[in-house]
Amino acid sequence: MTKRRIVIRNQSAEANLFARRAFIAFAGVVLVLLILFGNIFSLQVDSFEKYKTRSNSNRIKLLPVAPNRGLITDRNGVLLADNKPVYSLEVIAEDVKNLKESIAQVSQLLDINTERQEKFFKSLKQKRRFKPVELHSRLSDQQVALFSVNQHKFPGIFVNARLKRYYPFSDLTTHNLGYVARINRKDLNKLEREGKSDNYAATYGIGRLGIERYYEELLHGTIGHQEVEINNQGRVIRTLNYTPPVPGKDLKLTLDIELQMIAKRALSGHRGAIVAMDPRTGEILAMYSNPSYDGNLFVHGISSKDYKKLLNSKDLPLINRSVQGYPPASTVKPFLALTGLEENIVTEKTEIYDPGWYQLEGLPNRYRDWKLWGHGNVDLSKAIEQSCNTYFFDLAFKLGITRISNMMYQFGFGDYTGIDIHEESKGIMPSIAWKRARYNKPWYTGETLSVGIGQSYWTVTPLQLAQALTTLVNHGERKVPHLLKANSELVIESNGNTYHQITPTSYEPRPPLTLKKDKHWDVVLKAMHNTVQKVGATAYTPFKGVTYDASGKTGSAQVAGIKQDEKYDAESRTENERDNAMFIAFAPFDKPEIVVAVAIENVAKGGGATNAAPVAKQIMDQYFGDRVITSKTHQVATTLPLKAKTPSTIATTH
Amino acid sequence: MRSSGQDQQKSRSIWQRLHIDVPLLIGILALLFLGLFLVYSAGGQESAIVYRKIRSIGVALLGMFIIAQIPPLAYRKWAVPVFILGLLMLSSVLLFGHVGKGAQRWLDLGVIKFQPSEVMKLIVPIMIAWFVSQENLPVKISTVILAFILVLLPTLLIAKQPDLGTALLIASSGIFVIFLAGASWRLIGVCVGLASAFVPILWMFLMKDYQKQRVMTFLNPEQDPLGSGYHIIQSKIAIGSGGIQGKGWLQGTQSQLEFLPERHTDFIFSVFSEEFGLIGVAILLAVYLFVVMRGLWIAVNAQHAFTKLLAGSLTLTFFVYVFVNIGMVSGLLPVVGVPLPLVSYGGTSMVTLLLGFGILMAISTHRRFHV
């Protein structure tokens, strides 16, 4: 102690005081330790499960693994839609330090053009956090190599290999297959609404049109998962578990790619469409719309330049003409004739006299036949063989629009055929009610006469024609046109636990169309047989010499082929005023195996017989090859009718 | 120490002459040893970090040994000048100090950089113990008030740096002296009341934004789970998911996969709890309790009021480390930067702690001095 202040201390009292205080402090220490331990106990024992779960969800992440999309083949197994590895350059913006600079550098290194860069920055704005965005969708092998060497300079930028759709036949199959395109915001919203977004977590593309869209659920497959352990940076440390994805179902189509090629060749230089169908099943053998476009362009994200080109093309390649409405013109005459028979307006033997025109009583207008001086005495068969307008003006007048349209509905006109693509148009089967609803105007008798020769408001799709013809050749038995022949497992799981078999037989058609007299079918079919087989009939010349016993009906219409926007109309007015050539055919006569419908827009010269019939013939030639078939049920009269002549080019319709 | 006179004489010839308190040393070494294992696990299983810790342990143990050789009453002579020097250094830290992590704590003297606040952890209890032991215990009110002012000066200077953790420890060390010196309960009640009144002032004028944020986060960590609440949430997940048995050494996913922040320093207890579970926690707390018991035993058995108060304060302050650290990582207290004593990685605080234990050992072993 210091010498200045000497304190007399009571040592034992101090010691006792201190010991007391120390003991209190010790008690406090024990109390605090108990509190600490109690808290740890509640964390580790009471809340153990909760924190264990949270610890696991911290470190365990499910990485989605995209299933391989099902392949698509034609009826003979020729691959129409394949999956090919494609290398894309992708960027996780959050991982890149200086985004603009890095993108500029990597673009310079790999020679990526400014359009792609702009597109990248655009899509960057609508992406999810930490989701990669594509800078380049298709790197060449050289670019991949070049980037790999320099990868260390570009954190957050990487090359991704994934399988992308490839259509080896390019534009030949696009209108049927559609294409797979990148999933966009709209698709995502739709998938979310349908509760399918989880299954698409790793998927790049979705079927946008055609088969790819219609059978998206079958083709897509089921997502797989890789369970990985990650650290706090989200970096994968190791794989814990792997659930492989279930690949999509392979689809076999009814198409015959060789027939499809013939269709394309036959239509080259024209705008138009062909549908070839097996009337026994409804299987579509060929369906081609010209001009077409390459679906592969869309798989990789079409450039705006290419897209504008397609969009602004006067030939409208994006439109699938096989399912767009055309005025049917004379191709519907067999169906109208059948209606006349069925409604007892005419019989097989009823004749009219055709002076070359038709006139309604008390009205000044004369409705002209395509043949200026008329066909003379005309019965039903001759009216079809020669495509006599006067006969059908008269028939239509006597039938009236309501009976016509009611019967035409029976053949599927004005309604969807039910084909397994979504792009189908219904066409228009006009009626009094339809006109009231559409134009709020009454129906005029003159319009009935036009309907009698397949004009007026009436539009049909080539596919509808093929379907109607199928019903006709099948004596009323209907078939639903379809492109899917089979899928690899033939089973699809639908809502809940119900299983549906998707087989060709499951395209449920309406019940068969029955006539009051079954022989009416043959009357009309024989007339169509004559149209091709009889010397001098409208379709005789184009099918001269074929051995497969074809039947058919021509048609020509002087209207714009399909609905087009104003700009198109204005720019191509003169071309647009030219005839559309139509043709329907089936063969062989006795047991038809194929029906064909052809529509060609704005032909330079001639009509259905000279333009559309030869196209149908090429398809049938390919289909039948060297087969020789003759009819046992119908002998075509070989005598030449008196005033027989090949169709004239000045005709309105024939 | 040994109980019988004969044995005491013998053992004194070995350990007492070295001024080593064996039970205390055992407790300390146990904690240091555990720290090595945990730092290896928490530091990404790198041996380098373990070697660095071993080196600083060596330095600190040496420091402890040297301090233990000094007769504790000698501190009294130096208490006042060293205390004044300490205050000057703290002031100069605020004026010229080196800024690290948003706070001025380091003083760069050219040759060495050091934290005056760390030294103050020893100087303040010495100073206050000297101050109150001038007179007979229990302390008078006037002495208590003066002592409070003496504590408050360095505390405020350190809080201003800002270093809330150290300020808290230093304030505690002084208050413990006053408490052990027998301040009347009524006085303690008044002080607690004043302290409560001080809280709003602290909040409004003294605390920096990040400190306020910490308190807000403490009150509701789930409010901002990815932001400021992240640390405490991840820490609780680590502790809770350890369960009773723990995930095993080096097997803690929260720590190995780096979800835990500050794993090898302030949050090392979370690593420990995750890997060794409740059983480990019980053992660790028992070791701490043992060290505290031994420290208090030394204090009670010290022969002079000054050494009693000093030993008691050092021991209880050591326990404040334990309480604040475990309390904060398990969500009982807001996050203030206080390490888990002797276990966390970090040389500075360990050196201070071991020097403190050196003083305890000196008090325990320099028995024969004149009153």
Side-chain angles (χ1 to χ4, degrees):
Chain A
M1 290 298 292
T2 52
K3 285 170 187 169
R4 285 180 286 113
R5 287 168 61 189
I6 302 204
V7 181
I8 296 123
R9 309 193 77 107
N10 183 344
Q11 296 249 1
S12 74
E14 277 193 342
N16 282 340
L17 171 71
F18 183 86
R20 261 201 322 275
R21 285 293 165 109
F23 181 77
I24 292 167
F26 178 71
V29 165
V30 171
L31 183 69
V32 166
L33 277 176
L34 284 175
I35 291 170
L36 288 178
F37 187 76
N39 185 42
I40 303 291
F41 185 91
S42 95
L43 288 175
Q44 293 193 315
V45 178
D46 298 343
S47 310
F48 172 63
E49 286 301 327
K50 171 184 155 193
Y51 286 114
K52 190 177 142 194
T53 311
R54 288 185 69 170
S55 156
N56 281 342
S57 63
N58 251 350
R59 72 186 176 102
I60 296 171
K61 202 174 156 189
L62 280 182
L63 295 183
V65 182
N68 286 349
R69 199 173 174 84
L71 304 178
I72 304 176
T73 64
D74 87 338
R75 65 188 300 120
N76 300 314
V78 178
L79 202 55
L80 305 182
D82 195 3
N83 298 320
K84 278 194 156 186
V86 169
Y87 300 95
S88 59
L89 190 66
E90 300 186 4
V91 182
I92 296 179
E94 283 79 2
D95 288 349
V96 183
K97 278 209 183 94
N98 190 336
L99 191 63
K100 277 206 170 131
E101 202 177 293
S102 297
I103 296 299
Q105 281 173 4
V106 79
S107 299
Q108 201 186 356
L109 178 74
L110 302 181
D111 198 22
I112 297 170
N113 63 28
T114 46
E115 196 197 337
R116 283 185 195 276
Q117 291 175 47
E118 280 163 17
K119 210 168 149 188
F120 165 78
F121 282 110
K122 220 172 116 190
S123 46
L124 199 62
K125 285 174 196 151
Q126 47 172 312
K127 74 170 196 90
R128 290 184 251 177
R129 257 173 71 78
F130 285 101
K131 272 259 171 178
V133 174
E134 228 178 50
L135 176 58
H136 195 298
S137 57
R138 221 173 351 167
L139 293 175
S140 68
D141 290 349
Q142 264 179 322
Q143 282 173 314
V144 171
L146 194 58
F147 181 78
S148 304
V149 174
N150 291 286
Q151 182 146 31
H152 62 278
K153 295 181 197 160
F154 303 106
I157 307 180
F158 56 94
V159 169
N160 193 359
R162 53 159 68 90
L163 291 174
K164 276 197 186 172
R165 217 39 158 183
Y166 175 66
Y167 303 106
F169 290 97
S170 138
D171 63 341
L172 188 61
T173 53
T174 307
H175 284 306
N176 304 323
L177 298 183
Y179 49 81
V180 169
R182 197 178 320 184
I183 295 175
N184 60 28
R185 178 57 58 187
K186 222 173 104 190
D187 298 325
L188 273 180
N189 292 341
K190 187 163 172 275
L191 289 169
E192 245 155 59
R193 267 202 313 279
E194 294 168 355
K196 292 179 189 161
S197 54
D198 286 348
N199 199 27
Y200 279 75
T203 305
Y204 174 85
I206 191 166
R208 200 44 68 68
L209 285 174
I211 288 292
E212 295 274 28
R213 178 175 167 212
Y214 196 91
Y215 293 111
E216 173 64 30
E217 203 173 329
L218 280 176
L219 286 164
H220 179 266
T222 309
I223 193 167
H225 283 103
Q226 193 185 7
E227 197 182 86
V228 293
E229 186 171 82
I230 55 160
N231 69 3
N232 68 328
Q233 306 284 309
R235 195 156 293 131
V236 174
I237 306 297
R238 63 197 163 114
T239 300
L240 302 172
N241 219 330
Y242 183 66
T243 316
V246 181
K249 309 268 186 292
D250 294 341
L251 302 187
K252 184 181 232 177
L253 300 190
T254 57
L255 289 176
D256 177 345
I257 197 68
E258 285 184 36
L259 217 52
Q260 190 80 357
M261 282 184 209
I262 298 294
K264 184 186 176 182
R265 202 169 64 201
L267 280 179
S268 76
H270 295 292
R271 288 189 302 271
I274 291 177
V275 176
M277 191 165 124
D278 187 333
R280 295 166 298 184
T281 55
E283 290 179 4
I284 304 234
L285 302 171
M287 186 159 89
Y288 181 72
S289 169
N290 202 56
S292 183
Y293 60 99
D294 185 359
N296 291 311
L297 287 175
F298 287 86
V299 174
H300 301 287
I302 191 166
S303 71
S304 56
K305 201 181 91 189
D306 286 345
Y307 188 59
K308 265 186 198 140
K309 217 165 95 186
L310 286 176
L311 211 58
N312 297 335
S313 166
K314 281 196 281 185
D315 292 335
L316 303 175
L318 295 174
I319 286 177
N320 183 357
R321 289 171 158 85
S322 355
V323 286
Q324 292 299 313
Y326 287 98
S330 304
T331 52
V332 288
K333 281 176 181 168
F335 304 98
L336 292 163
L338 190 77
T339 314
L341 291 170
E342 185 64 5
E343 299 290 344
N344 280 323
I345 305 294
V346 290
T347 67
E348 191 182 349
K349 296 192 175 85
T350 309
E351 283 196 358
I352 62 142
Y353 179 75
D354 170 25
W357 46 266
Y358 181 79
Q359 192 168 18
L360 284 170
E361 264 175 72
L363 287 172
N365 308 38
R366 278 186 173 181
Y367 292 84
R368 297 219 162 266
D369 195 278
W370 60 271
K371 204 168 188 180
L372 209 56
W373 53 90
H375 293 284
N377 285 334
V378 181
D379 65 3
L380 186 142
S381 184
K382 185 178 171 188
I384 290 174
E385 288 160 31
Q386 295 299 327
S387 201
C388 174
N389 285 354
T390 309
Y391 183 94
F392 284 96
F393 287 140
D394 184 53
L395 178 61
F397 173 70
K398 286 171 180 159
L399 276 168
I401 181 65
T402 303
R403 282 195 283 193
I404 293 176
S405 42
N406 284 348
M407 188 62 164
M408 291 308 120
Y409 294 146
Q410 295 297 312
F411 282 99
F413 292 118
D415 199 1
Y416 297 115
T417 64
I419 190 181
D420 41 0
I421 58 174
H422 285 300
E423 291 78 52
E424 195 184 6
S425 147
K426 278 162 97 168
I428 296 166
M429 185 62 237
S431 67
I432 295 170
W434 172 86
K435 198 179 174 198
R436 181 57 72 188
R438 176 75 187 268
Y439 295 106
N440 195 24
K441 277 183 183 160
W443 185 265
Y444 302 115
T445 312
E447 290 168 340
T448 308
L449 300 194
S450 293
V451 165
I453 56 165
Q455 298 267 176
S456 173
Y457 306 102
W458 197 352
T459 61
V460 305
T461 69
L463 183 68
Q464 281 175 334
L465 277 177
Q467 188 197 34
L469 184 55
T470 296
T471 309
L472 190 67
V473 303
N474 286 342
H475 289 209
E477 196 188 324
R478 297 178 170 107
K479 297 290 173 193
V480 176
H482 56 267
L483 285 162
L484 180 66
K485 192 162 173 65
N487 76 56
S488 50
E489 284 178 27
L490 300 176
V491 169
I492 173 179
E493 188 177 357
S494 181
N495 303 335
N497 293 320
T498 0
Y499 285 77
H500 291 295
Q501 273 215 314
I502 293 272
T503 62
T505 53
S506 77
Y507 299 105
E508 241 358 281
R510 289 193 283 167
L513 168 59
T514 48
L515 297 183
K516 285 169 196 154
K517 280 188 185 158
D518 199 55
K519 71 166 197 162
H520 290 162
W521 296 112
D522 278 330
V523 173
V524 173
L525 290 170
K526 280 173 183 168
M528 288 181 77
H529 196 205
N530 288 341
T531 308
V532 175
Q533 301 298 331
K534 214 169 181 176
V535 179
T538 47
Y540 174 74
T541 313
F543 279 90
K544 209 165 135 183
V546 301
T547 57
Y548 42 78
D549 202 28
S551 312
K553 181 68 194 85
T554 58
S556 305
Q558 209 169 31
V559 241
I562 50 173
K563 287 190 192 64
Q564 283 140 350
D565 57 49
E566 291 302 319
K567 200 175 161 196
Y568 173 67
D569 263 348
E571 279 181 11
S572 58
R573 180 158 289 277
T574 50
E575 198 198 347
N576 198 23
E577 283 171 352
R578 293 177 186 155
D579 289 356
N580 282 354
M582 311 290 287
F583 192 71
I584 58 173
F586 65 94
F589 178 78
D590 285 355
K591 285 172 182 162
E593 295 170 26
I594 184 170
V595 300
V596 179
V598 178
I600 300 177
E601 292 172 25
N602 314 125
V603 294
K605 205 181 146 196
T610 46
N611 293 285
V615 168
K617 176 181 173 280
Q618 287 179 61
I619 297 284
M620 288 181 155
D621 285 351
Q622 166 71 26
Y623 178 84
F624 288 104
D626 296 333
R627 287 165 66 188
V628 177
I629 305 161
T630 48
S631 174
K632 292 182 181 85
T633 58
H634 181 229
Q635 295 301 123
V636 177
T638 47
T639 50
L640 194 70
L642 279 172
K643 288 172 192 169
K645 210 186 168 187
T646 47
S648 157
T649 52
I650 58 159
T652 318
T653 176
H654 55 106
Chain B
M1 306 306 286
R2 303 296 185 272
S3 46
S4 84
Q6 201 63 16
D7 286 350
Q8 204 171 7
Q9 207 62 34
K10 253 185 195 168
S11 72
R12 192 168 277 175
S13 56
I14 308 161
W15 295 108
Q16 206 98 13
R17 209 170 295 157
L18 288 168
H19 301 293
I20 297 293
D21 184 84
V22 178
L24 199 54
L25 185 68
I26 289 169
I28 290 166
L29 289 180
L31 292 169
L32 290 173
F33 200 61
L34 174 69
L36 285 180
F37 279 91
L38 286 184
V39 163
Y40 178 71
S41 175
Q45 304 182 18
E46 278 178 46
S47 359
I49 195 167
V50 177
Y51 293 143
R52 275 202 300 277
K53 184 162 166 83
I54 289 174
R55 208 166 53 220
S56 51
I57 286 175
V59 171
L61 282 176
L62 185 68
M64 176 183 86
F65 182 73
I66 292 167
I67 289 285
Q69 310 310 311
I70 302 167
L73 286 177
Y75 299 131
R76 293 186 299 184
K77 282 181 210 146
W78 298 95
V80 177
V82 171
F83 183 74
I84 291 168
L85 185 67
L87 287 182
L88 287 175
M89 285 195 296
L90 284 177
S91 314
S92 56
V93 162
L94 284 178
L95 293 175
F96 326 106
H98 186 77
V99 180
K101 277 194 180 178
Q104 289 176 302
R105 295 177 189 176
W106 296 85
L107 196 57
D108 195 342
L109 295 180
V111 198
I112 49 159
K113 275 198 296 187
F114 77 110
Q115 295 186 10
S117 54
E118 281 296 326
V119 188
M120 287 308 267
K121 286 178 183 169
L122 298 176
I123 295 173
V124 168
I126 290 171
M127 174 68 190
I128 307 300
W130 167 80
F131 183 73
V132 298
S133 65
Q134 301 268 24
E135 297 164 18
N136 256 331
L137 302 186
V139 282
K140 288 187 297 216
I141 290 184
S142 57
T143 315
V144 170
I145 292 169
L146 285 172
F148 254 117
I149 293 167
L150 288 175
V151 175
L152 211 57
L153 281 173
T155 303
L156 288 179
L157 285 171
I158 291 165
K160 195 89 184 107
Q161 289 182 352
D163 185 348
L164 227 54
T166 308
L168 179 75
L169 289 167
I170 283 175
S172 317
S173 68
I175 289 165
F176 284 138
V177 174
I178 296 167
F179 170 77
L180 291 171
S184 76
W185 288 106
R186 201 190 304 161
L187 191 64
I188 291 168
V190 171
C191 288
V192 168
L194 281 176
S196 319
F198 183 64
V199 167
I201 300 169
L202 188 77
W203 179 265
M204 282 188 283
F205 302 109
L206 288 169
M207 285 172 83
K208 299 224 166 172
D209 279 346
Y210 85 94
Q211 292 169 326
K212 290 184 188 173
Q213 188 62 49
R214 279 181 182 178
V215 177
M216 294 303 288
T217 303
F218 159 67
L219 294 174
N220 187 6
E222 305 281 340
Q223 191 180 27
D224 184 12
L226 290 176
S228 45
Y230 180 82
H231 289 193
I232 195 65
I233 290 172
Q234 293 303 332
S235 173
K236 284 170 87 169
I237 292 174
I239 296 170
S241 65
I244 293 173
Q245 297 180 332
K247 297 175 184 172
W249 186 51
L250 305 180
Q251 302 299 314
T253 54
Q254 283 289 103
S255 42
Q256 300 306 321
L257 299 170
E258 301 173 21
F259 290 104
L260 261 180
E262 309 284 341
R263 292 174 297 285
H264 55 280
T265 54
D266 290 357
F267 284 84
I268 201 159
F269 179 79
S270 317
V271 178
F272 176 78
S273 314
E274 185 185 21
E275 298 191 343
F276 296 94
L278 192 68
I279 295 170
V281 170
I283 293 169
L284 179 67
L285 293 184
V287 174
Y288 278 123
L289 184 64
F290 172 76
V291 171
V292 169
M293 279 169 75
R294 182 65 193 173
L296 288 177
W297 190 90
I298 291 170
V300 170
N301 287 282
Q303 292 174 349
H304 191 274
F306 170 70
T307 48
K308 277 178 191 290
L309 293 174
L310 181 55
S313 168
L314 287 172
T315 304
L316 292 175
T317 307
F318 171 77
F319 182 72
V320 171
Y321 276 89
V322 177
F323 168 59
V324 173
N325 179 271
I326 296 180
M328 83 180 184
V329 300
S330 61
L332 282 180
L333 297 172
V335 175
V336 283
V338 172
L340 186 64
L342 302 183
V343 177
S344 283
Y345 180 81
T348 323
S349 78
M350 189 174 57
V351 169
T352 316
L353 280 164
L354 284 184
L355 293 183
F357 282 115
I359 294 173
L360 270 177
M361 288 189 176
I363 293 169
S364 154
T365 53
H366 293 83
R367 286 291 177 85
R368 300 182 174 272
F369 47 76
H370 301 283
V371 181

